[in-house]
Amino acid sequence: MKISKYYRFVPMILGLVLVGYFYGYKYIYKNNDHFFKNKIKTKIIKVMNYENKSLQFYYSNEYCITTTNTRGDTLKVGDSISKEHDTKNFDVYRVKNGNYTFFKSYNINK
């Protein structure tokens, strides 16, 4: 058994490791860190559903709230979120009869 025939898999494995690292840093760590550290008062502008495995609720073009709970009550486009800095808790306000009213409190695990 020659080891040299396995060298062709090294670039593929290295590529997968690098893609996994950058995805983990940019889309998971950086996003969660921004959400946790900042005070946020904004609206949900876009919802992405990834094959019913996770939902991403974008509150800016770069940052989102990600959840794996794809059933039950979730956020909707137009919902207003309010969160203090250095906390995982945030409140959601939803339009009812033309006014925003409190809908639910959420806690996102960091």
Side-chain angles (χ1 to χ4, degrees), residues 73 75 80-82 88-93 101-108:
D73 59 339
L75 304 176
S80 177
I81 59 173
S82 176
K88 299 180 263 184
N89 303 317
F90 66 98
D91 295 327
V92 176
Y93 298 87
T101 57
F102 177 77
F103 174 67
K104 190 174 180 179
S105 290
Y106 287 91
N107 179 301
I108 297 295

Side-chain angles (χ1 to χ4, degrees), residues 15-31:
L16 288 173
V17 168
L18 288 173
V19 166
Y21 173 78
F22 285 113
Y23 175 81
Y25 174 74
K26 182 178 179 186
Y27 292 109
I28 297 172
Y29 173 76
K30 190 176 171 185
N31 189 41

Side-chain angles (χ1 to χ4, degrees), residues 28-43:
I28 297 172
Y29 173 76
K30 190 176 171 185
N31 189 41
N32 288 343
D33 192 53
H34 177 268
F35 185 78
F36 179 75
K37 288 182 179 178
N38 293 294
K39 180 177 182 176
I40 298 171
K41 288 191 178 200
T42 188
K43 292 181 184 178

Side-chain angles (χ1 to χ4, degrees), residues 56-71:
Q56 292 183 327
F57 304 99
Y58 284 86
Y59 55 90
S60 78
N61 287 333
E62 290 183 56
Y63 299 109
C64 66
I65 300 166
T66 303
T67 180
T68 56
N69 181 11
T70 59
R71 297 180 183 173

